[in-house]
Amino acid sequence: MNFDFSDDQKQLRDQARKFLAEKCSPKAVRAVLDGQSPYDSELWKGLAEMGFLGVAIPEEFGGAGAGHLELCVIAEEMGRALAPVPFSSTVYLAAEALMLAGSEAQRRKWLPKIASGEAIGTLALFEGTGNPSPKAIKLDASNGVLNGVKKPVADGAIADFVIVAARSAATGRDSDISLFIADTKAGGVDAKVLTNLDPTRGQAELVFTNCKAELLGAAGEGWAIIAQVLDRAAVLVAFEQVGGADRALEMGRDYALDRIAFGRPIGSFQAVKHMLADMYVSATLARSNCYYGAWALSTNAPELPEAAASARISATQAFQHCAKNNIQVHGGMGFTWEFDCHMYYRRANALALGLGSLSYWEDQLIDRMRKRNAA
Protein backbone atom coordinates (compact mmCIF):
# COMPACT_ATOMS: atom_id res chain seq x y z
CA MET A 1 0.00 0.00 0.00
CA ASN A 2 1.45 3.38 -1.06
CA PHE A 3 0.66 6.15 1.40
CA ASP A 4 2.54 8.85 -0.52
CA PHE A 5 0.77 11.54 -2.52
CA SER A 6 0.56 11.20 -6.30
CA ASP A 7 2.56 13.35 -8.71
CA ASP A 8 -0.52 15.49 -9.40
CA GLN A 9 -1.09 16.02 -5.68
CA LYS A 10 2.57 16.95 -5.20
CA GLN A 11 2.23 19.43 -8.04
CA LEU A 12 -0.80 20.90 -6.27
CA ARG A 13 1.28 21.17 -3.11
CA ASP A 14 4.03 23.01 -4.94
CA GLN A 15 1.47 25.35 -6.47
CA ALA A 16 -0.09 26.07 -3.08
CA ARG A 17 3.31 26.62 -1.45
CA LYS A 18 4.35 29.07 -4.15
CA PHE A 19 1.06 30.95 -3.91
CA LEU A 20 1.22 31.20 -0.13
CA ALA A 21 4.88 32.25 -0.20
CA GLU A 22 3.85 35.19 -2.37
CA LYS A 23 0.57 36.10 -0.68
CA CYS A 24 1.02 34.96 2.92
CA SER A 25 4.46 36.01 4.11
CA PRO A 26 5.18 36.38 7.85
CA LYS A 27 4.66 40.12 7.30
CA ALA A 28 1.12 39.46 6.07
CA VAL A 29 0.41 37.24 9.08
CA ARG A 30 1.72 39.95 11.41
CA ALA A 31 -0.56 42.51 9.73
CA VAL A 32 -3.55 40.53 11.03
CA LEU A 33 -1.90 39.79 14.38
CA ASP A 34 -1.07 43.45 15.01
CA GLY A 35 -3.95 45.10 13.15
CA GLN A 36 -7.68 45.51 13.41
CA SER A 37 -8.72 43.22 10.54
CA PRO A 38 -10.04 39.85 11.75
CA TYR A 39 -8.58 38.02 8.74
CA ASP A 40 -6.72 38.59 5.49
CA SER A 41 -9.55 39.25 3.05
CA GLU A 42 -7.25 39.53 0.04
CA LEU A 43 -5.71 36.15 0.77
CA TRP A 44 -9.19 34.68 1.20
CA LYS A 45 -10.17 36.03 -2.21
CA GLY A 46 -6.99 34.63 -3.74
CA LEU A 47 -7.60 31.18 -2.24
CA ALA A 48 -11.04 31.18 -3.84
CA GLU A 49 -9.65 32.20 -7.21
CA MET A 50 -7.07 29.41 -7.03
CA GLY A 51 -9.87 26.92 -6.36
CA PHE A 52 -8.46 25.92 -2.97
CA LEU A 53 -11.63 26.67 -0.98
CA GLY A 54 -13.68 24.26 -3.05
CA VAL A 55 -11.07 21.61 -3.72
CA ALA A 56 -13.12 18.87 -2.00
CA ILE A 57 -16.56 20.26 -2.90
CA PRO A 58 -18.26 18.40 -5.78
CA GLU A 59 -18.35 20.15 -9.14
CA GLU A 60 -22.15 20.19 -9.14
CA PHE A 61 -21.97 22.53 -6.14
CA GLY A 62 -19.37 24.86 -7.60
CA GLY A 63 -16.24 23.12 -6.31
CA ALA A 64 -13.28 21.48 -7.99
CA GLY A 65 -14.43 17.97 -7.09
CA ALA A 66 -10.87 16.83 -6.47
CA GLY A 67 -11.25 15.05 -3.13
CA HIS A 68 -10.00 14.92 0.43
CA LEU A 69 -6.43 13.90 -0.39
CA GLU A 70 -6.05 17.16 -2.29
CA LEU A 71 -7.61 19.03 0.64
CA CYS A 72 -5.04 17.43 2.97
CA VAL A 73 -2.28 18.75 0.70
CA ILE A 74 -3.74 22.27 0.86
CA ALA A 75 -4.22 22.02 4.63
CA GLU A 76 -0.55 21.23 5.18
CA GLU A 77 0.52 24.29 3.22
CA MET A 78 -1.97 26.48 5.09
CA GLY A 79 -0.36 25.28 8.31
CA ARG A 80 3.16 26.01 7.10
CA ALA A 81 2.20 29.57 6.20
CA LEU A 82 0.05 30.21 9.31
CA ALA A 83 -2.61 31.51 6.92
CA PRO A 84 -4.75 34.10 8.80
CA VAL A 85 -8.05 33.16 7.17
CA PRO A 86 -11.19 31.24 8.29
CA PHE A 87 -10.19 28.21 6.24
CA SER A 88 -10.57 25.50 8.87
CA SER A 89 -13.92 26.70 10.24
CA THR A 90 -15.42 27.13 6.77
CA VAL A 91 -13.90 24.21 4.85
CA TYR A 92 -13.21 21.53 7.48
CA LEU A 93 -16.30 22.11 9.64
CA ALA A 94 -19.11 23.93 7.85
CA ALA A 95 -18.58 22.50 4.37
CA GLU A 96 -18.06 18.96 5.68
CA ALA A 97 -21.26 19.15 7.75
CA LEU A 98 -23.17 20.37 4.71
CA MET A 99 -21.79 17.62 2.49
CA LEU A 100 -22.55 14.97 5.10
CA ALA A 101 -26.03 16.02 6.19
CA GLY A 102 -27.28 19.02 4.24
CA SER A 103 -30.38 18.87 2.09
CA GLU A 104 -30.10 19.45 -1.64
CA ALA A 105 -31.38 23.01 -1.20
CA GLN A 106 -28.96 23.75 1.67
CA ARG A 107 -25.99 22.44 -0.25
CA ARG A 108 -26.92 24.37 -3.38
CA LYS A 109 -27.34 27.53 -1.35
CA TRP A 110 -24.11 27.46 0.66
CA LEU A 111 -21.49 25.20 -0.96
CA PRO A 112 -21.07 27.34 -4.12
CA LYS A 113 -20.68 30.40 -1.90
CA ILE A 114 -17.98 28.65 0.11
CA ALA A 115 -16.11 27.60 -3.02
CA SER A 116 -16.23 31.14 -4.43
CA GLY A 117 -15.18 32.76 -1.16
CA GLU A 118 -18.50 34.59 -0.93
CA ALA A 119 -19.52 32.96 2.36
CA ILE A 120 -17.71 32.15 5.59
CA GLY A 121 -19.18 29.41 7.73
CA THR A 122 -18.46 27.79 11.06
CA LEU A 123 -19.68 25.21 13.57
CA ALA A 124 -21.04 26.36 16.95
CA LEU A 125 -20.51 23.43 19.29
CA PHE A 126 -18.96 24.56 22.57
CA GLU A 127 -20.76 26.38 25.39
CA GLY A 128 -17.82 27.32 27.57
CA THR A 129 -14.87 25.31 28.78
CA GLY A 130 -14.74 21.57 28.36
CA ASN A 131 -14.54 18.96 25.64
CA PRO A 132 -17.17 17.96 23.05
CA SER A 133 -20.08 16.21 24.76
CA PRO A 134 -23.82 16.00 24.11
CA LYS A 135 -24.44 16.63 27.82
CA ALA A 136 -22.62 19.96 27.58
CA ILE A 137 -25.07 21.30 24.97
CA LYS A 138 -27.75 23.47 26.59
CA LEU A 139 -28.74 25.83 23.76
CA ASP A 140 -32.46 25.33 23.16
CA ALA A 141 -34.12 24.62 19.84
CA SER A 142 -37.91 24.77 19.78
CA ASN A 143 -40.03 25.00 16.64
CA GLY A 144 -37.02 26.00 14.55
CA VAL A 145 -36.03 28.85 16.88
CA LEU A 146 -32.70 28.94 18.74
CA ASN A 147 -32.07 30.53 22.14
CA GLY A 148 -28.82 30.35 24.07
CA VAL A 149 -25.11 31.07 23.98
CA LYS A 150 -22.23 29.40 22.17
CA LYS A 151 -18.58 30.08 22.97
CA PRO A 152 -15.92 29.89 21.79
CA VAL A 153 -16.95 29.74 18.14
CA ALA A 154 -14.11 29.77 15.62
CA ASP A 155 -14.48 32.78 13.31
CA GLY A 156 -17.97 33.30 14.70
CA ALA A 157 -17.78 37.09 14.47
CA ILE A 158 -17.20 37.03 10.70
CA ALA A 159 -19.33 34.02 9.74
CA ASP A 160 -22.15 34.45 7.23
CA PHE A 161 -23.81 31.28 8.43
CA VAL A 162 -23.33 28.99 11.39
CA ILE A 163 -24.16 25.34 11.98
CA VAL A 164 -25.42 25.04 15.53
CA ALA A 165 -25.60 22.04 17.83
CA ALA A 166 -28.75 22.46 19.92
CA ARG A 167 -30.94 20.52 22.34
CA SER A 168 -34.21 19.69 20.61
CA ALA A 169 -35.55 17.21 23.18
CA ALA A 170 -35.17 16.41 26.88
CA THR A 171 -34.93 12.64 27.19
CA GLY A 172 -31.37 12.64 28.50
CA ARG A 173 -30.06 10.70 25.50
CA ASP A 174 -27.64 11.66 22.72
CA SER A 175 -30.65 11.77 20.40
CA ASP A 176 -31.71 15.00 22.11
CA ILE A 177 -29.14 16.84 20.00
CA SER A 178 -29.95 18.13 16.52
CA LEU A 179 -28.08 20.36 14.11
CA PHE A 180 -29.43 23.60 12.69
CA ILE A 181 -28.14 26.07 10.13
CA ALA A 182 -28.64 29.77 10.78
CA ASP A 183 -27.99 32.74 8.52
CA THR A 184 -26.20 35.23 10.76
CA LYS A 185 -27.21 38.12 8.49
CA ALA A 186 -30.91 37.38 8.97
CA GLY A 187 -30.98 38.53 12.59
CA GLY A 188 -31.25 36.86 15.95
CA VAL A 189 -27.49 36.35 16.35
CA ASP A 190 -25.21 38.74 18.25
CA ALA A 191 -21.45 38.20 18.12
CA LYS A 192 -18.80 39.32 20.58
CA VAL A 193 -15.11 38.91 19.75
CA LEU A 194 -13.20 36.99 22.43
CA THR A 195 -9.57 37.52 23.39
CA ASN A 196 -7.56 34.42 22.53
CA LEU A 197 -4.03 33.15 22.21
CA ASP A 198 -3.88 33.44 18.41
CA PRO A 199 -5.74 36.52 17.10
CA THR A 200 -5.07 35.41 13.50
CA ARG A 201 -7.69 32.71 14.06
CA GLY A 202 -10.54 34.59 15.74
CA GLN A 203 -12.92 33.26 18.40
CA ALA A 204 -16.30 34.68 19.32
CA GLU A 205 -19.25 34.37 21.65
CA LEU A 206 -22.55 34.01 19.79
CA VAL A 207 -25.82 34.86 21.52
CA PHE A 208 -28.93 33.42 19.85
CA THR A 209 -32.18 35.20 20.64
CA ASN A 210 -35.28 33.82 18.91
CA CYS A 211 -33.06 33.02 15.93
CA LYS A 212 -34.85 31.22 13.13
CA ALA A 213 -32.91 28.25 11.81
CA GLU A 214 -33.30 25.28 9.48
CA LEU A 215 -32.80 21.70 10.60
CA LEU A 216 -29.60 20.22 9.17
CA GLY A 217 -29.92 16.48 8.80
CA ALA A 218 -32.55 14.44 10.60
CA ALA A 219 -33.85 15.47 14.01
CA GLY A 220 -32.06 13.65 16.81
CA GLU A 221 -29.03 12.75 14.68
CA GLY A 222 -27.04 15.86 15.48
CA TRP A 223 -24.47 14.21 17.69
CA ALA A 224 -23.85 11.38 15.22
CA ILE A 225 -23.21 13.97 12.51
CA ILE A 226 -20.96 16.01 14.80
CA ALA A 227 -18.87 12.93 15.58
CA GLN A 228 -18.27 12.37 11.85
CA VAL A 229 -17.47 16.02 11.22
CA LEU A 230 -14.99 16.12 14.11
CA ASP A 231 -13.20 13.01 12.82
CA ARG A 232 -12.88 14.51 9.35
CA ALA A 233 -11.75 17.85 10.71
CA ALA A 234 -9.25 16.12 13.01
CA VAL A 235 -7.41 14.68 10.01
CA LEU A 236 -7.40 17.99 8.14
CA VAL A 237 -6.28 20.04 11.14
CA ALA A 238 -3.59 17.42 11.78
CA PHE A 239 -2.15 18.21 8.34
CA GLU A 240 -2.11 21.90 9.25
CA GLN A 241 -0.26 20.98 12.44
CA VAL A 242 2.27 18.86 10.56
CA GLY A 243 2.85 21.72 8.14
CA GLY A 244 3.46 24.08 11.05
CA ALA A 245 5.73 21.57 12.80
CA ASP A 246 7.85 21.12 9.68
CA ARG A 247 8.21 24.87 9.24
CA ALA A 248 9.16 25.35 12.90
CA LEU A 249 11.80 22.62 12.49
CA GLU A 250 13.16 24.35 9.38
CA MET A 251 13.34 27.67 11.20
CA GLY A 252 15.26 26.11 14.07
CA ARG A 253 17.62 24.27 11.72
CA ASP A 254 18.37 27.36 9.64
CA TYR A 255 19.06 29.47 12.70
CA ALA A 256 21.31 26.77 14.20
CA LEU A 257 23.39 26.73 11.00
CA ASP A 258 23.68 30.53 10.80
CA ARG A 259 24.17 31.48 14.45
CA ILE A 260 27.83 31.50 15.45
CA ALA A 261 28.91 31.04 19.06
CA PHE A 262 32.42 30.35 20.33
CA GLY A 263 33.65 30.41 16.77
CA ARG A 264 31.31 27.82 15.25
CA PRO A 265 27.62 27.33 14.36
CA ILE A 266 25.47 26.45 17.35
CA GLY A 267 24.12 23.56 15.27
CA SER A 268 27.44 21.82 15.82
CA PHE A 269 26.80 21.58 19.57
CA GLN A 270 25.46 18.23 20.73
CA ALA A 271 22.60 19.66 22.82
CA VAL A 272 21.22 21.59 19.84
CA LYS A 273 21.65 18.56 17.58
CA HIS A 274 19.64 16.45 19.99
CA MET A 275 16.91 19.08 20.18
CA LEU A 276 16.59 19.26 16.40
CA ALA A 277 16.70 15.48 16.08
CA ASP A 278 13.83 15.15 18.57
CA MET A 279 11.84 17.71 16.59
CA TYR A 280 12.44 15.74 13.39
CA VAL A 281 11.34 12.47 14.98
CA SER A 282 8.10 13.92 16.35
CA ALA A 283 7.23 15.62 13.04
CA THR A 284 7.98 12.46 11.04
CA LEU A 285 5.91 10.27 13.37
CA ALA A 286 3.02 12.70 13.08
CA ARG A 287 3.26 12.71 9.30
CA SER A 288 3.02 8.91 9.25
CA ASN A 289 -0.18 9.04 11.30
CA CYS A 290 -1.55 11.83 9.13
CA TYR A 291 -1.00 9.81 5.96
CA TYR A 292 -2.94 6.96 7.52
CA GLY A 293 -5.70 9.41 8.42
CA ALA A 294 -5.72 10.84 4.90
CA TRP A 295 -6.15 7.36 3.43
CA ALA A 296 -9.01 6.57 5.81
CA LEU A 297 -10.70 9.93 5.11
CA SER A 298 -10.38 9.72 1.33
CA THR A 299 -11.75 6.17 1.20
CA ASN A 300 -14.29 6.60 4.03
CA ALA A 301 -12.71 3.52 5.58
CA PRO A 302 -14.14 1.98 8.76
CA GLU A 303 -10.76 2.70 10.39
CA LEU A 304 -11.38 6.47 10.14
CA PRO A 305 -12.32 7.03 13.82
CA GLU A 306 -9.08 5.45 15.07
CA ALA A 307 -7.00 6.97 12.28
CA ALA A 308 -8.41 10.44 12.95
CA ALA A 309 -7.71 10.22 16.68
CA SER A 310 -4.14 8.97 16.19
CA ALA A 311 -3.44 11.70 13.61
CA ARG A 312 -4.89 14.35 15.91
CA ILE A 313 -2.85 13.17 18.91
CA SER A 314 0.50 12.82 17.18
CA ALA A 315 0.16 16.04 15.15
CA THR A 316 -0.84 18.05 18.21
CA GLN A 317 2.14 16.75 20.15
CA ALA A 318 4.51 17.33 17.22
CA PHE A 319 3.46 20.93 16.53
CA GLN A 320 3.59 21.93 20.19
CA HIS A 321 6.95 20.20 20.60
CA CYS A 322 8.51 21.74 17.48
CA ALA A 323 7.11 25.21 18.13
CA LYS A 324 8.43 25.21 21.70
CA ASN A 325 11.85 23.84 20.79
CA ASN A 326 12.16 26.27 17.90
CA ILE A 327 12.06 29.05 20.50
CA GLN A 328 14.66 27.21 22.58
CA VAL A 329 17.01 26.84 19.59
CA HIS A 330 16.75 30.58 18.97
CA GLY A 331 17.62 31.26 22.60
CA GLY A 332 16.82 34.67 24.04
CA MET A 333 16.01 36.07 20.59
CA GLY A 334 13.32 33.43 20.17
CA PHE A 335 11.22 35.00 22.91
CA THR A 336 11.10 38.44 21.30
CA TRP A 337 8.20 39.88 19.32
CA GLU A 338 10.47 40.66 16.36
CA PHE A 339 11.20 36.98 15.66
CA ASP A 340 8.47 34.82 14.14
CA CYS A 341 8.86 31.91 16.58
CA HIS A 342 6.00 33.06 18.83
CA MET A 343 3.53 33.02 15.93
CA TYR A 344 4.04 29.26 15.49
CA TYR A 345 3.87 28.75 19.25
CA ARG A 346 0.55 30.63 19.35
CA ARG A 347 -0.91 28.63 16.48
CA ALA A 348 0.31 25.30 17.91
CA ASN A 349 -1.45 25.87 21.21
CA ALA A 350 -4.58 27.32 19.62
CA LEU A 351 -4.99 24.33 17.29
CA ALA A 352 -4.41 21.97 20.21
CA LEU A 353 -7.73 23.07 21.73
CA GLY A 354 -9.94 23.82 18.74
CA LEU A 355 -11.54 20.38 18.37
CA GLY A 356 -11.20 19.27 21.95
CA SER A 357 -8.13 18.82 24.12
CA LEU A 358 -5.34 16.31 23.63
CA SER A 359 -6.61 14.24 26.56
CA TYR A 360 -10.07 14.11 24.96
CA TRP A 361 -8.66 12.61 21.76
CA GLU A 362 -6.47 10.21 23.72
CA ASP A 363 -9.59 8.96 25.51
CA GLN A 364 -11.39 8.73 22.17
CA LEU A 365 -8.61 6.62 20.68
CA ILE A 366 -8.59 4.22 23.63
CA ASP A 367 -12.38 3.86 23.61
CA ARG A 368 -12.51 3.30 19.85
CA MET A 369 -9.75 0.68 19.92
CA ARG A 370 -11.43 -1.08 22.83
CA LYS A 371 -14.78 -1.21 21.02
CA ARG A 372 -13.18 -2.47 17.81
CA ASN A 373 -11.29 -5.20 19.68
CA ALA A 374 -14.46 -6.20 21.53
CA ALA A 375 -16.31 -6.54 18.26
Side-chain angles (χ1 to χ4, degrees):
M1 186 177 294
N2 181 13
F3 284 111
D4 198 7
F5 290 118
S6 68
D7 290 341
D8 287 344
Q9 290 157 355
K10 290 176 182 177
Q11 185 176 6
L12 175 64
R13 178 185 62 195
D14 294 340
Q15 183 184 29
R17 185 170 300 186
K18 180 180 178 181
F19 171 80
L20 290 168
E22 294 175 356
K23 305 295 184 180
C24 188
S25 65
K27 183 179 179 180
V29 179
R30 282 180 177 272
V32 176
L33 181 62
D34 295 332
Q36 299 300 315
S37 177
Y39 72 106
D40 189 333
S41 58
E42 287 301 313
L43 176 60
W44 185 250
K45 180 181 178 181
L47 291 169
E49 291 173 349
M50 294 292 291
F52 295 158
L53 298 183
V55 69
I57 295 175
E59 291 183 87
E60 63 182 302
F61 298 114
H68 284 93
L69 285 180
E70 287 75 12
L71 183 54
C72 289
V73 169
I74 301 299
E76 182 177 347
E77 297 309 311
M78 298 290 283
R80 280 182 62 90
L82 299 181
V85 289
F87 192 82
S88 58
S89 55
T90 303
V91 178
Y92 309 161
L93 296 173
E96 288 297 322
L98 281 165
M99 288 191 289
L100 277 170
S103 66
E104 182 76 8
Q106 289 168 340
R107 287 184 286 175
R108 290 202 177 279
K109 178 179 180 179
W110 292 111
L111 289 177
K113 292 182 178 181
I114 290 174
S116 66
E118 183 181 347
I120 294 170
T122 190
L123 172 68
L125 173 60
F126 297 99
E127 298 184 14
T129 58
N131 286 311
S133 167
K135 294 181 180 179
I137 298 173
K138 307 299 181 185
L139 187 142
D140 178 69
S142 300
N143 300 317
V145 175
L146 306 179
N147 285 282
V149 179
K150 289 287 187 180
K151 66 175 184 181
V153 180
D155 301 304
I158 58 174
D160 297 289
F161 72 97
V162 57
I163 294 171
V164 186
R167 187 164 293 276
S168 56
T171 66
R173 298 192 294 266
D174 290 359
S175 58
D176 291 348
I177 308 302
S178 298
L179 284 183
F180 296 83
I181 184 167
D183 186 336
T184 61
K185 309 304 181 186
V189 185
D190 293 317
K192 174 186 175 183
V193 177
L194 300 176
T195 301
N196 75 96
L197 180 63
D198 183 7
T200 65
R201 290 283 179 90
Q203 300 287 339
E205 174 184 282
L206 298 184
V207 179
F208 296 85
T209 307
N210 296 324
C211 176
K212 294 182 180 180
E214 297 178 2
L215 186 67
L216 182 75
E221 294 186 2
W223 191 252
I225 299 168
I226 289 170
Q228 294 181 69
V229 171
L230 290 179
D231 282 345
R232 290 165 175 259
V235 174
L236 297 167
V237 171
F239 270 93
E240 278 202 20
Q241 292 170 307
V242 164
D246 275 356
R247 182 63 192 130
L249 170 59
E250 291 170 7
M251 291 168 64
R253 177 204 63 197
D254 293 345
Y255 185 81
L257 293 174
D258 291 340
R259 178 72 168 92
I260 303 298
F262 305 105
R264 57 177 177 157
I266 64 171
S268 65
F269 298 122
Q270 191 174 48
V272 177
K273 288 180 180 180
H274 286 174
M275 196 177 301
L276 291 170
D278 288 343
M279 293 164 69
Y280 176 80
V281 169
S282 64
T284 302
L285 177 62
R287 181 174 294 279
S288 174
N289 281 281
C290 285
Y291 277 24
Y292 180 45
W295 165 79
L297 175 60
S298 65
T299 59
N300 200 27
E303 293 90 347
L304 178 58
E306 291 94 332
S310 62
R312 170 67 175 168
I313 292 165
S314 59
T316 297
Q317 292 173 332
F319 196 8
Q320 288 186 309
H321 177 72
C322 290
K324 180 184 72 174
N325 278 8
N326 181 37
I327 294 175
Q328 297 296 326
V329 171
H330 280 75
M333 296 298 292
F335 289 85
T336 63
W337 187 264
E338 288 73 16
F339 273 60
D340 295 334
C341 304
H342 67 92
M343 296 195 297
Y344 285 84
Y345 188 73
R346 288 171 182 272
R347 183 63 63 84
N349 287 284
L351 290 182
L353 296 173
L355 301 176
S357 68
L358 181 61
S359 61
Y360 166 79
W361 285 96
E362 289 172 337
D363 290 342
Q364 289 292 305
L365 178 59
I366 293 170
D367 288 345
R368 292 168 180 184
M369 294 177 66
R370 183 184 293 121
K371 289 178 181 178
R372 179 172 286 275
N373 290 335

